[in-house]
Amino acid sequence: SRVEVVILDVKMPGMDGIETLKEMRDRFPLVEVIMLTGHATVESAIDGMKMGAFDYLMKPMDIDELLYKAIDAFHHKRTNENKQKQES
């Protein structure tokens, strides 16, 4: 199986969400990333969007909202993969 969507918190111990996003963009450019952020780190989440994150959500979030975003990101990834196949 393969990873389609990753949900990253901006604030994580060790490597933070932005550093993790940079690493993922280098290694897995097609994986969609949703950033989770608290009010204090919303600018970091916006920076993540500029670096290619699919979207971000403010904590605390409703689980249904998170699931909706994850499904949306999954469909976005599949659409991009299909476009790349057609262009090849």
Side-chain angles (χ1 to χ4, degrees):
S1 71
R2 61 184 181 174
V3 175
E4 307 280 356
V5 178
V6 171
I7 299 167
L8 289 177
D9 200 320
V10 171
K11 290 229 175 211
M12 300 187 304
M15 185 182 288
D16 70 22
I18 298 298
E19 292 170 355
T20 305
L21 176 62
K22 286 178 189 173
E23 184 71 23
M24 289 186 65
R25 284 289 145 251
D26 289 343
R27 297 178 62 191
F28 310 102
L30 294 180
V31 171
E32 295 294 353
V33 176
I34 298 170
M35 305 294 294
L36 301 182
T37 183
H39 181 72
T41 57
V42 72
E43 287 182 22
S44 293
I46 292 168
D47 289 344
M49 297 274 301
K50 292 175 184 172
M51 293 170 41
F54 177 74
D55 208 343
Y56 74 94
L57 290 170
M58 294 287 294
K59 297 185 296 184
M61 86 289 302
D62 182 79
I63 190 66
D64 290 336
E65 184 180 12
L66 179 59
L67 290 172
Y68 174 79
K69 286 284 185 200
I71 291 167
D72 197 22
F74 170 80
H75 289 301
H76 187 261
K77 179 179 185 288
R78 285 293 168 96
T79 299
N80 285 343
E81 285 177 340
N82 288 336
K83 283 181 187 174
Q84 280 191 344
K85 287 178 186 173
Q86 290 171 358
E87 292 172 2
S88 300

